[in-house]
Amino acid sequence: MSHVPNDTTLARDAAMLQDAAGGPIDVGIILGSGLSDALTQLATFTSISYEKLGLPVAALAGHAGEALVGTVGGKRVVAFAGRVHMYQGFSAQDVTVNVTLSNLAGAKALILTNAAGALNPAFAPGQLMLIEDHINLTGANPLVASGLENPFVDMARCYSPRLRHIARQVPGGDALVEGVYLALLGPSYETAAEGRYLRGVGADAVGMSTVLETILARSKAMEVLGISLITNAVGAEETTHAEVTAVAKSAATRLSAIIAGVLASM
Ligand code: HPA
């Protein structure tokens, strides 16, 4: 069963977001696990629940379900706090509906954040990684049966070199590392052998989101910035959801500051 709202509902939602923002949305932001609290310290936001918008919801600790509408760095933004994931049984269309809605509300740019496990041995928990490219091993794609006249979307430089350049310049941006994000279906974390394999195919970090949103955003010619918060090292020792969420929360303020800096200069 599809959880994607119909076109009428999406048009109503887009109007609701624009009303709350006082004009067309400039940038959509999707917040990963444990990353929503820090953003709300940057500005005053109007919260609209996913229920009210008719968006798919999933109950999991650390994943709220609200669209936060406000102005940061002179840009009207909608920040989605709470993602649904394919590992919860949602489709590629379901997990990317926030991208569709952001774009309908006017957004020409999208900032994606996530929590990820490090494959690159030089990366440590708490570090922020600018996503320079991705590897989609989820087995899914939001453009399947999308009805697009041209579904063969170009994915070269899908993470905007312009926005990455800006991110490195803003206060705190010099601490960003850069790398390739690889997405799997999940929800189990990787075995040590899988970690070695994924490192071998060219990935620096692994997670369970983001790539499908990037694909859909590129099909709409949106500029994409992706930032992974490294929460653990894959294969090193035990990985728990509680650990992932705790590390994410501890770095959320740094991530929000970078997002605010990018919004002000993009
Ligand atoms: N693997 C996959 N997804 C993740 C991880 C991980 O180690 N950490 C946070 N999200």
Side-chain angles (χ1 to χ4, degrees), residues 125-152:
Q127 273 183 325
L128 295 171
M129 183 189 90
L130 214 43
I131 305 178
E132 64 176 63
D133 204 348
H134 79 215
I135 299 175
N136 174 16
L137 293 189
T138 64
N141 192 302
L143 304 181
V144 170
S146 60
L148 275 187
E149 202 173 308
N150 175 20
F152 306 107

Side-chain angles (χ1 to χ4, degrees), residues 115-118 181 184 188-190 206-208 229 231-235 239 244:
Y181 175 86
L184 296 176
S188 51
Y189 293 121
E190 296 70 33
V206 57
M208 308 170 192
L229 167 51
T231 54
N232 58 286
V234 174
T239 303
V244 165

Side-chain angles (χ1 to χ4, degrees), residues 26-27 72-77 109 111 160-173 223 225 256-266:
D26 297 306
V27 183
V72 180
K75 303 295 185 303
R76 284 186 288 267
V77 304
I111 299 177
S160 163
R162 184 183 85 88
L163 294 183
R164 277 190 277 148
H165 179 76
I166 291 173
R168 285 190 297 263
Q169 308 301 313
V170 305
E223 257 189 308
L225 179 72
S256 294
I258 289 178
I259 291 175
V262 171
L263 286 169
S265 19
M266 67 190 279

Side-chain angles (χ1 to χ4, degrees), residues 26-172:
D26 297 306
V27 183
I29 304 172
I30 298 184
L31 299 164
S33 319
L35 298 176
S36 51
D37 293 349
L39 195 81
T40 58
Q41 290 161 20
L42 295 178
T44 308
F45 290 93
T46 303
S47 164
I48 308 175
S49 72
Y50 283 9
E51 273 94 353
K52 186 156 184 207
L53 294 166
L55 295 180
V57 283
L60 176 67
H63 299 245
E66 53 179 348
L68 301 165
V69 182
T71 301
V72 180
K75 303 295 185 303
R76 284 186 288 267
V77 304
V78 55
F80 293 96
R83 258 199 184 95
V84 295
H85 295 82
M86 293 223 319
Y87 62 71
Q88 292 156 324
F90 291 97
S91 70
Q93 279 73 27
D94 294 334
V95 305
T96 52
V97 69
N98 296 355
V99 178
T100 305
L101 180 53
S102 301
N103 190 247
L104 275 175
K108 303 275 188 288
L110 184 68
I111 299 177
L112 297 167
T113 66
N114 60 50
L119 299 165
N120 184 330
F123 291 178
Q127 273 183 325
L128 295 171
M129 183 189 90
L130 214 43
I131 305 178
E132 64 176 63
D133 204 348
H134 79 215
I135 299 175
N136 174 16
L137 293 189
T138 64
N141 192 302
L143 304 181
V144 170
S146 60
L148 275 187
E149 202 173 308
N150 175 20
F152 306 107
V153 170
D154 176 46
M155 292 297 288
R157 295 174 300 282
C158 55
Y159 294 92
S160 163
R162 184 183 85 88
L163 294 183
R164 277 190 277 148
H165 179 76
I166 291 173
R168 285 190 297 263
Q169 308 301 313
V170 305

